[in-house]
Amino acid sequence: MASNRASARPPAPAGPDRRARRRQETIDEILGIAVDVMSEDGVTGLSLSEVARRLGIQPPSLYKYFPSLMAVYDELFRRGQIEHLATMRAAMVGVEPGLPALAAALDAAGRWALANRPVAQLMFWRPVPSFEPSAESFAPSVELVALHREALADAVAAGQLGAAADSDEAVWLISTMISGVLTQAFANEPGTQWGQGRFTPLFPRLLATLPVLYPPHR
Amino acid sequence: MASNRASARPPAPAGPDRRARRRQETIDEILGIAVDVMSEDGVTGLSLSEVARRLGIQPPSLYKYFPSLMAVYDELFRRGQIEHLATMRAAMVGVEPGLPALAAALDAAGRWALANRPVAQLMFWRPVPSFEPSAESFAPSVELVALHREALADAVAAGQLGAAADSDEAVWLISTMISGVLTQAFANEPGTQWGQGRFTPLFPRLLATLPVLYPPHR
DNA sequence: GTCTATAGCCTGATAGAC
DNA sequence: GTCTATCAGGCTATAGAC
């Protein structure tokens, strides 16, 4: 290992790294507070002034981190998409491909949505008409569809579902099921956990109708 | 028929009636504009100032008709509930009781929701955290549940569904199905008609799984 | 029932000093 | 990267004249 002078201590200035890390922490803090505000005042109730107030800084300072309110929404949307997708993927690891993996992924998605209500609403309910996610932030949703399609194809290959289930239509159907459950839970039972309340326990039963909607050959 | 002087012309002042009718027209006009504003700016984007602007009056004048913004929300909610319920009832008239009547009612409910998007969102999605409907405005929703229960009981009696379908749980399941379809349509395909787009055609197929979820004895 | 005037908030965003 | 000061609005709601 070649080493120059003072190889024992970290690379010379070390300032930029620290500064960048501190900046990232502040950004994370802003987004965390933004989620809190949305939880209390609704997704459309987010205001930069309120975030600044809770962070103990003046509103103009926020503009060093985000160029606008919509940029905050967009970053929340972007991170939400990534996290949501990663959560589903992680839930499928080691689970039998096909319907079991699909069920595990959707179960995880439901838990994630309940645990991240305002972000999920921002992502899938679109309550802010003036907010349009950027192409980059929207990108993971394409992968989400692909994930569903793969699981459905596996289920067809395994003889769990009929060939018609390997389709975009089946993806729409599944997303309709989960959004129905979540909509009802959000509107009528805010604060419930997945598996609790009147609505979330209905999801597995809805999902169990898939082999009826797409009957395998035998 | 006893008649006093001048019995040929309508009852003496006749002013109060006209005035009351004119007042009702103004109220209806205000509510109509409120719906327009919500359609464009979201349910939470409703503002009395904007309504006044479109009506061509000054904002303070609105307070002669509604004591507050929340009172406008509440009246929209109240009328929405009544109209929604009446629409479903009307759709059931002359239809075979049981599943066919239920399907007709839900079909009408879906059409109504798409044609009255912002009001439906106000009623069933609860996007305004600071708005709580008054007990009176909320009342029709009790009748709505009763309507569902009756249709389900008829379906059980007719042997179309198993006994377990005569339950609140089945009502929750049905409402979950329709809210899923509407949520997806509102978020992803604003402006589509019932029966069009990717999501609303899925509803009949979801509903058709009811006999699988609640299988009749034979 | 309409208006003007106004109180008393709130907001997003920018300029420019330090 | 923080601040103060400020712009340029927005809003709900009330008081009080006509």
Side-chain angles (χ1 to χ4, degrees), chain B residues 90-178:
Chain B
M92 297 170 84
V93 172
V95 181
E96 179 190 344
L99 275 187
L102 184 63
L106 293 170
D107 186 80
R111 285 177 203 280
W112 183 88
L114 282 191
N116 297 271
R117 199 183 73 200
V119 179
Q121 286 173 319
L122 177 67
M123 286 162 57
F124 303 121
W125 277 251
R126 306 292 193 96
V128 191
S130 57
F131 166 63
E132 197 71 32
S134 63
E136 192 221 326
S137 301
F138 193 73
S141 87
V142 178
E143 288 184 64
L144 184 73
V145 173
L147 189 79
H148 280 102
R149 283 297 299 270
E150 283 163 35
L152 286 165
D154 290 343
V156 171
Q160 296 158 344
L161 296 177
D166 186 4
S167 64
D168 282 343
E169 188 209 65
V171 176
W172 305 335
L173 203 97
I174 290 166
S175 63
T176 297
M177 289 175 178
I178 195 154

Side-chain angles (χ1 to χ4, degrees), chain A residues 18-147:
Chain A
R18 278 193 40 142
R19 231 173 285 143
R21 203 170 54 241
R22 186 71 184 84
R23 184 181 164 82
Q24 260 311 317
E25 287 172 9
T26 305
I27 287 176
D28 294 346
E29 212 171 342
I30 289 169
L31 294 173
I33 293 172
V35 169
D36 293 344
V37 174
M38 290 192 295
S39 294
E40 295 167 31
D41 302 335
V43 176
T44 58
L46 176 60
S47 105
L48 292 183
S49 300
E50 181 60 25
V51 172
R53 213 169 290 129
R54 298 192 186 192
L55 195 53
I57 65 171
Q58 294 302 315
S61 301
L62 284 176
Y63 286 81
K64 292 287 172 183
Y65 300 95
F66 292 96
S68 71
L69 172 63
M70 290 305 151
V72 175
Y73 276 130
D74 198 60
E75 181 65 7
L76 289 167
F77 187 101
R78 193 185 71 83
R79 293 188 178 200
Q81 292 278 7
I82 291 171
E83 212 178 284
H84 179 249
L85 184 61
T87 301
M88 291 183 77
R89 278 202 217 282
M92 297 170 85
V93 173
V95 180
E96 179 190 344
L99 274 187
L102 184 64
L106 293 170
D107 186 80
R111 284 177 204 281
W112 183 87
L114 282 190
N116 298 272
R117 198 184 70 196
V119 178
Q121 286 173 320
L122 177 67
M123 287 162 58
F124 303 120
W125 276 252
R126 306 292 193 94
V128 191
S130 57
F131 167 64
E132 199 71 29
S134 63
E136 193 219 326
S137 302
F138 192 74
S141 86
V142 178
E143 290 184 64
L144 184 72
V145 172
L147 189 79

Side-chain angles (χ1 to χ4, degrees), chain B residues 71-94:
Chain B
V72 175
Y73 276 129
D74 198 60
E75 181 64 6
L76 288 167
F77 188 101
R78 192 184 71 83
R79 292 188 179 200
Q81 292 278 7
I82 290 171
E83 212 178 283
H84 179 250
L85 184 60
T87 301
M88 292 183 77
R89 278 202 218 283
M92 297 170 84
V93 172

